[in-house]
Structure formats: C-alpha cells, structure tokens
Amino acid sequence: MNAELSELASHCIRCGFCLESCPTFLVTGEETESPRGRIYLARGSLEGRLDWRQAAPHLDACLGCRGCETACPSGVQYGQIVELAREEIAARRAAPGLRLLLGMLTRPGVLRRLGALGRRLPGARMPRILGLLFSNEPPVAGLPVAQWSGMLPPLDETLLMPITGQAFILDGCAMGSLFPRVQEASARLLRRVGLAPKRLASGCCGALHAHSGYVAQGAAMARRVLARLPENDVLVATAAGCGSWLKEQAHGKRRVLDLSELLHENGLGEALKKAPGYWAVATYHDACHLAHAQGIRSQPRELITAIPGLTLLPMPESDLCCGSGGISNLTHPSQAVALQTRKLENAQATGASLLIQGNPGCHLWLAPAAKARGLTVLHTAEALEAAFIGLEWFCDGAKQTAEAERT
Amino acid sequence: MLNMEAPRPTEGFFARELGALLAPDRIRVGAAAARAYECDAYTVDRAEPWAIALPESTEEVAVLVRWCVRHGVPFTPRGAGTGLSGGAMAARGGIIVSTKRMTQILEVDLPNRRILAQAGIANKRLSDAVAAAGLHFAPDPSSQTVSTLGGNIAENSGGPHTLKYGVTAQHILGLTLVDPTGEVVHLGGDATGGPGLDFVGLVVGAEGTLGIVTEAWVKLTPLPEAVHTLLASFAEIDQATASVAEIVGSGILPAALEMMDEGIMRAVSQAFRLSYPEGARALLLIECDGAPEASAKEAAEAERICRAHRALAVEIAEDEAARQRLWIARKKGIGAMGRLAPSIVTHDGVIPRSKLPEMLRFVYEVAEQHRLLVANIFHAGDGNLHPCFGFDDRDPEQIRQVVEAGEKILRKCVELGGSLSGEHGVGVEKSELMSLMFSPDDLCLQADAKRIFNEGDLCNPCKVFPSQKGCIEHRARWRGVAW
Ligand SMILES: Cc1cc2nc3c(=O)[nH]c(=O)nc-3n(C[C@H](O)[C@H](O)[C@H](O)COP(=O)(O)OP(=O)(O)OC[C@H]3O[C@@H](n4cnc5c(N)ncnc54)[C@H](O)[C@@H]3O)c2cc1C
Ligand code: SF4
Ligand code: SF4
C-alpha cells in the first residue's frame, strides 16, 4: 500500500470546511466532486474498499486549483494527495490521449505553430478529436492564439536606475511562444527596478505532467530546467503554475520567484508612483497557483493599486478557479464553461473593464469570452508596464493593429 | 411496494425510475457515490445509501418524497454533511436527498430585514449577501462558511455569538417544508411568535426527521457598531471559570465567551505558530459588542475581572487583523487537531458552568485511560463543552476506544446535572443514550410525536429516538463498517 498517500489522506477529518472553496463542488453540488469526497475515495481505493477505476473519474475532474488547501484547517496537503492518487490511477490505465495532449501542449514549437494557426482562423476550436478523447462533449476551448509580438517603444536607459543585479525569466513552453508581449513587459519591468533581464529558454518545466499524474516525468523535466539556471541566480516565473511547481521542485536549493513577488520586493511600487499611469477601472483574478499554491495575493494587488489613475475593485470569489485548471478545459469542457461564466459574471458585477491576472492558462481561457462581454484580460506584467508606456500598447487598439500589419 | 425487509433494489432501478421522474443528472448511483455519501463529519458510524438525489426545487423534492413513500424507500436529507452526530447518514440505506443544488437566494427584503433562501445555501453566504447593508444572519456555528441553512435549522445550530444573539431557532421566520408524506407546507410567516401552535419551532431542531426544509425566511440582524475582543490566559482552569462566573454575574452580556484548554493551545500553536504564555492551561476569549462606549466599558470591566482572577496575560485586539488572530484558537482549534491525529471525534455535552473544573479533570482521566489525544472547547456562557478526541480511524481498536470514551463523557455530563447535546444533535451517535436523560414514558411521548408526522419512519429513520423498529439491527451494521 502507498504509505505516503495513506498518511497524507488520513489527516482529513471530514469537517467539510473546504467544500465552498472547491469550484467543482460549487458547480455540481456533489460530494464525489469535492476535496473531502476525493480524498475519501482515494482512501477507499487505497484500502481496497473501492476500485481505483471507480474513483478515477472524480479525481480526473479535479482542477488541481488547491483552493481546498487554503480553506483546510487541518493542513491537508491536497495537492500531493491528488498527484499521488493520479499516479496510482495512471499506473492502472493506459491514457494515450492524455499523453498525446500533454506532449503537444508543452512543446514550444508545436504551441507556436498552433498559436499562429489560431491567429489566422478566427473562432478556431481545438481539434474535435482532442475533446472526444476525454469526454463525450465537443471541445469548447479555442486554439491558443499567440499574442502579437511587435516591439514595444524603446526604453530610455538614461531615465532608469542603474543595474544592480540580474534575473532569469522563464520562457517555458507557453509563455515564450504564446505570450511574447507579457515576456517583453516583464523584462522591461525587471530593468525598471535595476535588474538586468535574462531569458531562460528552457523548454517545458513539467508542471502539467506532474499535475496529471506523471509525477516522475514532471520532476525530471523540472530538474532539467533548474539545472540550466546558474547557481545563485533568480528564476522569475510569469506563469503561476510553473512558478509553484518549480518552487516545490527546487527544494530551497534554487531561488524561484513569481514576477510580482520579485518586483514588489525590489521597489516597483515606488517607481510606479512616478509613472504617468492611466485611467482605468480594474479588478484582479487570483490565479490558483499564485493564491492557493504560493500564497501570493497582496503583492500583485499592491503593485496594481500603485498605478496612478487606476482604481482596483475587489471581486467576489476572486480566488475561485476560472475553469481552465491546467488542461481541464479540454478534458472537462462543460464544467470549465460553468466556471468561466461564473468568473466573468463576478468580474462584470464589479463594473471593471480590465481583468488583471498572472497566469497563461487563465489568460487563454478567459480572454475570448471576456472580450464578448466588453472586458479586457491582461497579465499583471502588462498592466504594470502600461503604467509607464500607455495602455494602448496592450489593448486591442489601433497601435497594435497598425504595427502588426507593418510586420 | 417494497418493505424494509425486501431485497435492496438494483442501482439501475433507481437510476431509471428517479432519472425519469426528475432528470437523469439529478440522480447518482454507483460504488463511488455511495461511498462518498456514507457518512458526514462523524465517521464512527457509516452506512451507504442506495442512491443520491440532487433536486433543484421544492417541487422536485416533493415528487421525490412521494415516490419514496409509494415504494417504501427510506430517505435522508443532507446539507453540507458537516454534522457531528451522523444525522445525515442513510441509516437504513435508501436515498440521500442532497440540498446542494438548492443554493439560491430568492428574495432580499432589506426594509423588513429578512431574506428568503433555498435550504442548501451556506450560512455565511447569507451574511455576505447583505453585509453592504450592515446586516448579517446571526447564528454563527464554526462551520458557517460551509454548513447549510437547512442543516442549521435541522440541528438548531449555535455558535460563539449564541450567548447574546440566540440559536438558529430565534432567527427563522418561516419555512417551506416537504413533509414526510411528500406534501409541501408553508410554516410561519414574516414575523416570529404568531398565535397558534409553533410548527416552525417544532421543525427547527428536529434533525430532519419531520421532513425536508426546502426554503426559509430568515431574520437579519444589524452588525454591531463596535466590537471589543480580548483573550485572557490563566494558569488554572478554576481561575478561568471563576472569571466567567463573575463576568456573567456582573450583568455584562458578552457577545461571546469561550474557553479553550491546553490541548487546543498545543494544536493551534503547532498549526499556526502562535504562542501562548508559558504555563497557561486555559484561554478565555471575550467579545463585547454594541454601541461604542458601552461595549468598550464592558470590555474594560471584563479585563479587570480576568486580572483580578490572576490572568497570566490579557491581550486586547487593536484592529480587525488582531481580532482575527485572537479568534484563531477558537475557530480553527478543532480543525488544527487534525494535524496532530489522523481522525477526530468532537463531543457535545452541556454541564452546569460551576462543574467545569471537575468535568475537565474527568475528561483528561478518560483520555488517558483510553490513550487518546484530547482537547476541549467550552462555550462558557451556556455551559456547552466540546471535548475533542484524536485517534487513528484506520485502527479498529482505536475506534472502539473512542466510542467508549465518548459514552463515559456523556454519562458524566448527565450525572453532573447537564445534558447530552448542546448543539450538534443526537443523530445516530447518541440516540441510545437518550434514556439517560428521559424516562421511558417521556421517550415514548416524544417518539409518538415524531410518529404522528413521520409515519412509517421513512424520513431520516433511526435518528434521535432509540430502538425504533429495526434500528437496533441496523446499528450493528453501521458500526460494523468502521470496525
Ligand atoms: C469543525 C466543525 C465545527 C462545528 N462547529 C459547530 C458549532 O460551533 N455549532 C454548531 O451548532 N454546530 C457545529 N458543527 C456541527 C454542524 O456544522 C452543524 O450541525 C450544521 O448545522 C450542520 O449543517 P450541514 O449543512 O452540514 O448539515 P448536515 O450535516 O448535512 O445534516 C445535519 C442534519 O440536518 C439534516 N438536514 C440537513 N439539511 C436539511 C434540510 N434541508 N431539511 C431537513 N433536515 C436537514 C440532516 O438530515 C442531518 O440530520 C460543527 C461541525 C464541524 C465539522
Ligand atoms: S477542510 Fe481539510 S480536513 Fe476538512 S474535509 Fe476538507 S480536506 Fe478534509
Ligand atoms: S484542487 Fe480545486 S478542484 Fe481539486 S478538490 Fe481542491 S478545490 Fe476542488
């Protein structure tokens, strides 16, 4: 018997305090789709009272958002429980579809091509076959659309503080290929706080693999990425999921930080106060792997609030998963749509026109549907850099289209 | 018609029949679902339901109940499943009727300070919905972020602020109930205490045995203008209880008056890295609220009393963050026990306040005899004690120890002139112990009252009253699951 899993699961006292923080429970109302239920089913399978195959669909539907960990008074390490349980399940079932999908979605080259295709085919859906591999529902997630990657206006070095150190930005699989503008903005922000931005073209860090039950493979990929980072240097993640996974895998031996943490620590707040800023009403969505996995809530909010002219409004259920959940929007489409709608309704109810967040999964998943409701989704880095050079560089404005056409 | 002894119908039967009656997505059957719903937060007794229904409206609940009655199938209402006495366990199998797809607020009536909501909504969401208007739903069980309005009504739940604001019963204006025959009845109205028999009062606290509550009008209470919170630590439990007696005797009515023992301090300091004064054996949390000057004055008086009883330290919350910190031991204490032991059972008894030192000594002795980890929370204002035992529920021997220890504790409560249950209900946990408190005649009378409304005992069977027909045999089966 998997002693580690048994020990971790035994700390659940079935108090149910996690229920209202669990997105899948909120949309289904079902105990089997709740953290408490999933832990109980994993335990039951482990103790031979239930077949792992019967527990599998319920563990599969988990978004891995770890909202339950934040709510749990008993300190249950749910993230580890679900990884181990999925490993047990993966060992008992061939899931060629899932492997294929993971392989596809985590290769920068493939992503770039998909992204380019996505830009050309408006309204393009993920290939139908992908959806059908996992559920009987047609896919709802769009093909990822790569951001326009034209240059931002040059930085005037003379106005910036002197360079006192450096930091490596993780390009990973998605950020480098699909979000060049976020990466560019992040680099500029690092420079604005006196850090020379370096890029770590590392390939995928394995976070998605680990969260899907291929823990060993994910860990090996993380080791490869971390090995590329020069010792004593800082690795900056612009993707919440990668940041939390690499932090865990670095075991304190390498310094991994989320962009907002590093910028906050290095005084971007002060620099922002002197920036031109812009008028906007915004709200902030807590990416699960920032808020629940890394406990990062206040840093991005404080930075955003420091933008002159911007009003940040609190959003109800701001730390409830948007449904993207790793690759859940491909494996469990209807659940994902219900959560996407809930998130956007909450955002709209605030009256904001900007929805700021810090994770590529949320970004890709929310942006198209948000646009239909008149909301613009931005990465925290974009919102912050916009305070220095103007929001028009980051919205679907005239400037971009003109630039894009020129290139 | 199926009767109790008839073989259990197949899953397919339920899925087909009920799916056609409501909608297929409202019905769940199968090994995983049955297991997930076999118990609530009381894990010692477990029984798998045959099917789970997730209706979305009063009408659907009524259709379901009528079907159950027609087929002689038992049914058990369930909210969030945070109950601590096995109330939401499908004691005789049958159908779990979950309210967790009935979570809407139907009407907010601010001028009359009331709100109409479906029974499955979490308690805290009611308060959140009206916080901007300076109102809240006053009953605040520690489980309030998740436990449901229906569950609170069924258990007549209280919380730390019960002392001043009362239990759930005082905050329910009216409700819609699907009675055990499947009929929809509207009870009460827009004001409490109308003439005639108080049917609302009968249903509140009935632990789901008199029907399924589907909607309720609840009273909203203004948020206090000012709140003053202090946490005093004492080297002796007697000093803390003496302080409580004097505070209550002095005419102060604190909004909350809560005591925690060493076990809680240990769990909380490990879990949240909080530290308490060296040598502290009891903590007393006092909260005064109301108009700013009055509440400040009360708090100052409470502080003086604690110091007079040689408090080691008295910490006063300067702001909301500090207040939250002082509350941690009370709010997260039981949960934090889960970090020290794989499973916990939280007991719920009432004793005269003056007997607390004696009672606690007894609890510690019992814990030692049975080699169990123990921590205690005490609603000092109303004498409600929650001894909480930690154990490993993967070990059948330890489960046996926990059950025995629990019975000893409850017997002692009754012996000291107290009661079996403060606020967690009787459920299946304590149904057999009811005879400690009531004479056979009393019990028969109460059971008769239940039978009038719940003919055939299909609605949440085997709960509250002992030895109903068939329950004894079933009891062996539930315990058998855990052992
Ligand atoms: C850590 C912890 C702390 C707790 N703290 C407190 C506390 O401070 N004070 C307190 O009083 N309780 C406390 N409880 C106990 C529990 O939370 C309450 O009894 C709560 O009211 C149960 O609500 P629920 O929605 O979880 O109901 P469930 O557990 O699902 O059901 C409880 C009972 O109510 C019945 N029921 C549920 N819904 C309905 C309905 N719609 N109509 C009719 N019957 C229904 C069920 O059949 C069952 O008998 C605590 C529990 C835990 C785990
Ligand atoms: S909050 Fe924690 S201990 Fe309680 S049921 Fe959820 S996972 Fe288990
Ligand atoms: S990780 Fe998220 S989806 Fe999964 S059980 Fe926890 S709260 Fe629910």
Side-chain angles (χ1 to χ4, degrees):
Chain A
M1 188 160 95
N2 188 328
E4 190 185 357
L5 180 53
S6 171
E7 168 61 21
L8 287 166
S10 75
H11 284 279
C12 171
I13 55 172
R14 286 192 57 86
C15 66
F17 280 22
C18 49
L19 297 177
E20 293 282 315
S21 312
C22 174
T24 57
F25 179 76
L26 286 180
V27 298
T28 62
E30 294 174 45
E31 185 69 21
T32 47
E33 313 307 320
S34 79
R36 177 175 66 179
R38 291 185 175 118
I39 295 171
Y40 203 61
L41 294 179
R43 238 187 103 166
S45 308
L46 204 56
E47 291 166 5
R49 294 158 177 254
L50 193 71
D51 191 324
W52 274 111
R53 268 172 310 194
Q54 288 164 320
H58 309 293
L59 284 151
D60 285 346
C62 165
L63 294 156
C65 71
R66 293 163 72 177
C68 45
E69 284 191 17
T70 302
C72 177
S74 185
V76 170
Q77 288 169 300
Y78 178 85
Q80 286 188 35
I81 294 178
V82 79
E83 271 169 22
L84 292 171
R86 283 180 174 171
E87 209 170 29
E88 295 278 346
I89 292 168
R92 285 172 178 77
R93 124 181 121 182
L98 186 61
R99 287 189 156 263
L100 176 75
L101 181 66
L102 279 170
M104 238 175 84
L105 291 183
T106 55
R107 272 205 204 99
V110 176
L111 267 181
R112 205 168 297 128
R113 280 197 294 278
L114 270 180
L117 192 65
R119 255 219 320 271
R120 245 160 252 144
L121 302 170
R125 290 272 168 261
M126 271 289 182
R128 194 179 168 79
I129 177 77
L130 278 182
L132 294 177
L133 277 176
F134 303 106
S135 61
N136 294 322
E137 306 167 46
V140 289
L143 273 174
V145 180
Q147 277 185 329
W148 155 86
S149 60
M151 293 295 285
L152 298 177
L155 269 181
D156 186 349
E157 288 279 338
T158 55
L159 296 175
L160 298 175
M161 48 172 104
I163 290 184
T164 55
Q166 61 175 23
F168 282 84
I169 301 178
L170 175 71
D171 268 344
C173 47
M175 292 312 296
S177 41
L178 296 178
F179 290 98
R181 198 167 69 203
V182 171
Q183 299 297 79
E184 174 75 11
S186 305
R188 294 163 69 103
L189 290 165
L190 288 177
R191 179 61 196 86
R192 289 183 194 280
V193 296
L195 296 171
K198 308 272 177 200
R199 301 288 275 263
L200 194 70
S202 57
C204 175
C205 69
L208 282 181
H209 300 75
H211 298 150
S212 306
Y214 304 104
V215 182
Q217 188 187 354
M221 295 168 83
R223 272 196 301 279
R224 266 204 300 281
V225 170
L226 290 167
R228 289 189 178 211
L229 178 70
E231 223 164 321
N232 301 325
D233 258 307
V234 187
L235 183 59
V236 186
T238 48
C242 311
S244 83
W245 170 242
L246 286 172
K247 262 186 192 174
E248 260 170 49
Q249 292 300 307
H251 302 293
K253 294 198 193 85
R254 285 281 198 285
R255 203 154 173 249
V256 182
L257 289 176
D258 182 68
L259 178 76
S260 63
E261 274 180 295
L262 187 69
L263 293 175
H264 190 266
E265 230 173 65
N266 284 273
L268 185 71
E270 282 308 306
L272 278 167
K273 283 185 196 146
K274 290 177 228 121
Y278 50 89
W279 294 107
V281 179
T283 192
Y284 178 77
H285 157 64
D286 286 282
C288 302
H289 281 86
L290 280 183
H292 301 303
Q294 303 183 63
I296 298 174
R297 294 165 189 265
S298 62
Q299 298 93 326
R301 285 189 170 81
E302 281 170 26
L303 291 174
I304 294 165
T305 314
I307 298 172
L310 181 142
T311 308
L312 184 67
L313 298 173
M315 169 163 65
E317 303 186 327
S318 70
D319 63 356
L320 187 73
C321 179
C322 65
S324 157
I327 52 172
S328 282
N329 52 10
L330 296 174
T331 55
H332 295 82
S334 55
Q335 171 178 293
V337 170
L339 289 165
Q340 181 192 56
T341 308
R342 187 163 174 141
K343 176 61 66 182
L344 294 175
E345 280 171 359
N346 275 325
Q348 257 185 327
T350 66
S353 60
L354 290 183
L355 179 55
I356 305 175
Q357 53 73 47
N359 188 48
C362 315
H363 203 150
L364 281 173
W365 177 232
L366 290 175
K371 197 169 160 191
R373 291 168 181 261
L375 272 164
T376 302
V377 179
L378 289 181
H379 189 282
T380 308
E382 297 176 293
L384 296 176
E385 179 61 17
F388 298 96
I389 59 174
L391 192 57
E392 63 279 15
W393 292 95
F394 299 97
C395 289
D396 296 325
K399 211 166 216 156
Q400 269 162 266
T401 327
E403 284 278 336
E405 273 162 10
R406 212 158 39 81
T407 48
Chain B
M1 174 160 170
L2 309 162
N3 65 30
M4 229 173 57
E5 282 71 36
R8 165 178 165 171
T10 61
E11 280 167 8
F13 172 76
F14 285 113
R16 215 172 36 245
E17 288 267 306
L18 295 174
L21 205 59
L22 304 178
D25 82 314
R26 312 276 206 277
I27 306 302
R28 293 288 178 258
V29 292
R35 178 148 300 267
Y37 284 92
E38 72 178 4
C39 60
D40 50 22
Y42 174 70
T43 57
V44 171
D45 295 321
R46 307 175 205 175
E48 288 192 355
W50 304 337
I52 295 97
L54 297 131
E56 299 189 353
S57 65
T58 302
E59 205 28 61
E60 288 189 3
V61 174
V63 167
L64 198 68
V65 168
R66 286 200 291 270
W67 184 90
C68 287
V69 171
R70 204 161 52 243
H71 292 82
V73 172
F75 55 96
T76 300
R78 174 175 166 122
T82 67
L84 291 169
S85 55
M89 183 185 81
R92 273 170 47 200
I95 296 176
I96 291 273
V97 182
S98 165
T99 59
K100 282 311 296 180
R101 286 203 193 147
M102 298 176 57
T103 57
Q104 303 298 312
I105 289 178
L106 302 172
E107 205 177 321
V108 183
D109 178 6
L110 290 179
N112 294 305
R113 290 194 178 153
R114 57 182 193 146
I115 194 169
L116 176 67
Q118 287 184 301
I121 193 169
N123 168 316
K124 183 74 177 3
R125 288 188 188 265
L126 294 170
S127 294
D128 289 347
V130 293
L135 297 169
H136 75 306
F137 177 53
D140 62 341
S142 307
S143 56
Q144 72 182 139
T145 51
V146 292
S147 64
T148 63
L149 176 57
N152 291 173
I153 291 174
E155 302 285 4
N156 194 12
S157 296
H161 291 87
T162 293
L163 187 56
K164 182 162 180 178
Y165 295 98
V167 286
T168 302
Q170 275 110 42
H171 300 270
I172 303 301
L173 301 171
L175 38 84
T176 303
L177 177 83
V178 173
D179 78 6
T181 67
E183 197 148 332
V184 179
V185 279
H186 300 279
L187 301 176
D190 17 28
T192 32
L197 195 57
D198 181 13
F199 281 112
V200 174
L202 202 61
V203 172
V204 179
E207 302 192 26
T209 61
L210 298 183
I212 303 179
V213 176
T214 55
E215 293 171 13
W217 274 109
V218 312
K219 186 159 88 183
L220 299 172
T221 307
L223 286 162
E225 269 178 80
V227 181
H228 290 88
T229 309
L230 34 123
L231 186 70
S233 47
F234 298 89
E236 297 300 333
I237 289 161
D238 306 51
Q239 295 167 344
T241 37
S243 308
V244 169
E246 197 176 330
I247 289 170
V248 176
S250 74
I252 299 177
L253 182 57
L257 191 53
E258 303 278 314
M259 234 172 95
M260 283 76 59
D261 77 346
E262 254 178 305
I264 294 288
M265 279 184 256
R266 204 173 313 124
V268 172
S269 47
Q270 283 195 20
F272 307 107
R273 302 213 175 76
L274 293 178
S275 61
Y276 298 103
E278 184 114 4
R281 299 197 59 205
L283 287 179
L284 191 58
L285 181 97
I286 306 162
E287 188 158 281
C288 301
D289 69 9
E293 306 89 71
S295 128
K297 211 169 121 217
E298 287 192 352
E301 178 62 8
E303 183 189 352
R304 190 195 61 72
I305 294 173
C306 291
R307 291 200 190 279
H309 288 278
R310 314 235 304 274
L312 296 171
V314 183
E315 233 187 300
I316 297 164
E318 299 293 342
D319 53 27
E320 183 55 28
R323 173 171 174 255
Q324 294 300 339
R325 206 180 58 247
L326 297 190
W327 269 98
I328 284 185
R330 173 60 190 83
K331 290 227 163 125
K332 305 246 171 120
I334 301 274
M337 278 286 283
R339 299 180 191 231
L340 306 184
S343 291
I344 60 170
V345 162
T346 310
H347 291 290
D348 169 40
V350 180
I351 45 168
R353 220 174 351 200
S354 60
K355 301 277 199 240
L356 183 69
E358 183 183 346
M359 184 68 204
L360 279 182
R361 270 193 295 279
F362 181 78
V363 171
Y364 295 142
E365 267 168 43
V366 169
E368 192 157 337
Q369 276 164 21
H370 293 272
R371 289 191 301 284
L372 299 166
L373 195 68
V374 72
N376 291 276
I377 282 184
F378 184 58
H379 304 309
D382 47 21
N384 189 190
L385 177 69
H386 298 305
C388 166
F389 290 121
F391 64 107
D392 190 339
D393 69 347
R394 289 166 296 181
D395 174 3
E397 181 48 33
Q398 289 195 39
I399 298 182
R400 215 185 310 261
Q401 297 288 346
V402 155
V403 171
E404 277 178 33
E407 292 193 3
K408 282 188 191 165
I409 304 269
L410 293 172
R411 280 174 201 279
K412 183 78 174 176
C413 288
V414 177
E415 204 180 297
L416 291 176
S419 132
L420 279 180
S421 164
E423 56 186 19
H424 295 171
V426 174
V428 293
E429 184 204 7
K430 295 185 274 200
S431 58
E432 276 188 357
L433 298 174
M434 287 288 274
S435 55
L436 291 178
M437 276 184 68
F438 300 102
S439 71
D441 285 352
D442 282 350
L443 281 177
C444 281
L445 197 68
Q446 294 189 43
D448 278 349
K450 175 176 163 184
R451 216 163 296 129
I452 292 172
F453 295 98
N454 185 3
E455 212 177 335
D457 198 26
L458 292 176
C459 182
N460 209 1
C462 302
K463 303 295 161 64
V464 190
F465 295 107
S467 35
Q468 292 164 67
K469 214 169 75 208
C471 292
I472 301 295
E473 303 94 86
H474 285 285
R475 184 178 168 91
R477 192 169 50 79
W478 320 320
R479 291 267 149 110
V481 173
W483 283 358

